[in-house]
Amino acid sequence: MSDCNQSVPKLSIAILVVGTRGDVQPFLAVARKLQEYGHCVRLATHSEFSGLVKSAGVDFYPLGGDPRVIVEACTHPDPITGDSFRAQAIIANPPAYAGRVDVAEALGVPLHIFFTVPWTPTCAFPHPFIPHISHRAGYWLSYVIVDILIWWGLRGHLNKLRKNKLNLSPINGLLDTNQVSISHLPTTYMWSPRVLPKPNDWGPLVDIVGYCFVDLGIKYEPPQELVEWMQKGVAPIYIGFGSMPLKNPENTTNIVLEALKNTGQRGIVDRGWGGLATHAQDVAENIFLLSTDCPHDWLFPQCCAVVHHGGAGTTAAGLKAGCPTTIVPFCGDQSLWGAIIYERGVGPAPIPIAHLSVESLSKAMRFMLQPEVKSRAVDVAISVRDDDGAAAALDSFHRHLPLPNLEQGDQVQTIFGYLARFCCLFCAS
């Protein structure tokens, strides 16, 4: 335990996460590490992840639904133990724009940003939402542009919150992006610095701590038919696109099945939210159609390679498992991780979903099956496994705490209500 940890008092911490399952899971690892230290932690996210959060032993509060119900759920004592909860610090991810800075300002509590995607301005690479900038001079500017666009979209909602709920003065400047920007906030990034090192222009407010994994596979009981299929042959290639929508699931399915046939490989095809292989019939024996949730930390180590959309969480799971990887990006940060996979030599150049074809996917599969690619993937896996991201995240959080100001934490009684109410209003707008 670092020296800074030894001087930090036990706190009540509110964690606010907006995003997909891959966004939520790393926060569970951090929440558990905070709890191990002795902090009281509540995690607010979407209702569909209630079971996931509770199964990790973390208190869950829903982000969505009727604002009045959310306020009651987030400000009342624990419904089981009756213990009171008064947040003394906030942890949030950037997509949780809904008043996180304003609430922290009004209530006098520290705010710390955690994320799995680069969001701090840098000249090293462009903003993940504007990935096709070719000139380095525009990289840093791309982050400013995104902040401005978000601020223009949110300033009316945020100013209503400031005036009506928080008794704060409105912010009218069209270019005053401090309420949505994270540049001035302590920020902890949850990926391996061996995969994406810290840019030279990120200062001491920013830490990269390593991947924060939750080992869901330990308790997983796979379907017997999957176990039997896995035992019948060599390690398969996994193909799945998670929560990404598919414009033409049948066509994408045909591409996947033909590429597996061309390369003579066994394949696990994950239907996901996009309905991949939903209507496939008479599938060959070397194909297994996965229609139920299966933890990547259980499945990927049994695969010889993986093909997926390139979400930060899925990419991390593939790297940890030592799997050569092909990323088929749809949007957002996926192109960034695809480019990094290619630069590290553990997979081919990313194939945007619009360019996916039997030829391009077959070529990518053959690339991944090369022994030297597998060797590099194993090397990356070893380095990734050496990181204790959750422990480093705890250190980062403690190191950036304004300890002299924490005595004021008892003033905070309704922070979760404010956050949840405004997030709900914003999501519904």
Side-chain angles (χ1 to χ4, degrees), residues 171-305:
I171 299 172
N172 297 316
L174 290 178
L175 300 180
D176 191 347
T177 62
N178 271 358
Q179 307 312 109
V180 298
S181 172
I182 68 170
S183 301
H184 59 296
L185 298 171
T187 303
T188 299
Y189 287 116
M190 298 178 286
W191 67 70
S192 173
R194 297 171 179 85
V195 174
L196 180 59
K198 180 178 177 179
N200 293 330
D201 53 358
W202 282 358
L205 273 180
V206 180
D207 296 323
I208 298 178
V209 296
Y211 289 117
C212 299
F213 293 108
V214 178
D215 296 326
L216 300 176
I218 295 176
K219 298 180 180 179
Y220 177 66
E221 296 183 5
Q224 187 60 32
E225 58 179 344
L226 173 57
V227 174
E228 293 175 356
W229 183 88
M230 294 287 285
Q231 294 172 346
K232 288 180 181 179
V234 298
I237 296 177
Y238 168 90
I239 305 101
F241 303 122
S243 58
M244 296 296 103
L246 292 170
K247 291 183 178 179
N248 191 333
E250 288 91 356
N251 182 61
T252 305
T253 298
N254 291 335
I255 290 173
V256 168
L257 297 181
E258 283 297 314
L260 288 168
K261 181 179 178 181
N262 281 353
T263 56
Q265 296 300 304
R266 305 176 83 218
I268 293 180
V269 181
D270 191 342
R271 289 174 173 171
W273 290 10
L276 188 66
T278 297
H279 302 292
Q281 297 179 351
D282 299 324
V283 175
E285 291 185 357
N286 66 321
I287 306 296
F288 187 91
L289 302 183
L290 188 63
S291 57
T292 60
D293 286 339
C294 182
H296 290 160
D297 60 304
W298 180 89
L299 181 59
F300 284 5
Q302 303 181 69
C303 296
C304 66

Side-chain angles (χ1 to χ4, degrees), residues 118-416:
W119 215 258
T120 303
T122 178
C123 293
F125 42 78
H127 193 286
F129 283 7
I130 313 179
H132 301 300
I133 295 176
S134 58
H135 200 285
R136 290 180 60 87
Y139 290 176
W140 187 88
L141 183 61
S142 68
Y143 293 83
V144 177
I145 291 172
V146 170
D147 283 343
I148 290 174
L149 292 175
I150 293 172
W151 170 237
W152 287 351
L154 288 181
R155 68 183 190 275
H157 297 287
L158 291 175
N159 279 329
K160 286 181 181 178
L161 174 73
R162 293 176 66 85
K163 179 181 178 181
N164 298 334
K165 296 295 181 184
L166 303 179
N167 296 319
L168 298 174
S169 300
I171 299 172
N172 297 316
L174 290 178
L175 300 180
D176 191 347
T177 62
N178 271 358
Q179 307 312 109
V180 298
S181 172
I182 68 170
S183 301
H184 59 296
L185 298 171
T187 303
T188 299
Y189 287 116
M190 298 178 286
W191 67 70
S192 173
R194 297 171 179 85
V195 174
L196 180 59
K198 180 178 177 179
N200 293 330
D201 53 358
W202 282 358
L205 273 180
V206 180
D207 296 323
I208 298 178
V209 296
Y211 289 117
C212 299
F213 293 108
V214 178
D215 296 326
L216 300 176
I218 295 176
K219 298 180 180 179
Y220 177 66
E221 296 183 5
Q224 187 60 32
E225 58 179 344
L226 173 57
V227 174
E228 293 175 356
W229 183 88
M230 294 287 285
Q231 294 172 346
K232 288 180 181 179
V234 298
I237 296 177
Y238 168 90
I239 305 101
F241 303 122
S243 58
M244 296 296 103
L246 292 170
K247 291 183 178 179
N248 191 333
E250 288 91 356
N251 182 61
T252 305
T253 298
N254 291 335
I255 290 173
V256 168
L257 297 181
E258 283 297 314
L260 288 168
K261 181 179 178 181
N262 281 353
T263 56
Q265 296 300 304
R266 305 176 83 218
I268 293 180
V269 181
D270 191 342
R271 289 174 173 171
W273 290 10
L276 188 66
T278 297
H279 302 292
Q281 297 179 351
D282 299 324
V283 175
E285 291 185 357
N286 66 321
I287 306 296
F288 187 91
L289 302 183
L290 188 63
S291 57
T292 60
D293 286 339
C294 182
H296 290 160
D297 60 304
W298 180 89
L299 181 59
F300 284 5
Q302 303 181 69
C303 296
C304 66
V306 294
V307 178
H308 58 76
H309 57 295
T314 311
T315 301
L319 292 175
K320 182 183 180 183
C323 290
T325 300
T326 295
I327 287 181
V328 181
F330 288 66
C331 59
D333 60 306
Q334 298 163 8
S335 293
L336 170 66
W337 300 120
I340 291 172
I341 289 291
Y342 178 55
E343 291 170 1
R344 297 291 176 271
V346 296
I351 310 170
I353 185 61
H355 299 156
L356 187 68
S357 66
V358 174
E359 180 181 3
S360 63
L361 186 54
S362 299
K363 182 179 179 181
M365 288 180 176
R366 293 189 180 99
F367 182 94
M368 293 190 294
L369 294 172
Q370 298 177 85
E372 58 270 26
V373 178
K374 177 63 175 179
S375 178
R376 287 193 291 268
V378 170
D379 289 342
V380 171
I382 293 172
S383 66
V384 166
R385 293 169 191 159
D386 285 342
D387 293 331
D388 189 346
L394 176 70
D395 287 346
S396 176
F397 174 72
H398 284 172
R399 189 166 58 254
H400 292 289
L401 280 173
L403 293 179
N405 298 330
L406 290 179
E407 297 298 326
Q408 302 175 6
D410 287 343
Q411 302 172 10
V412 186
Q413 300 186 31
T414 59
I415 180 174
F416 244 82

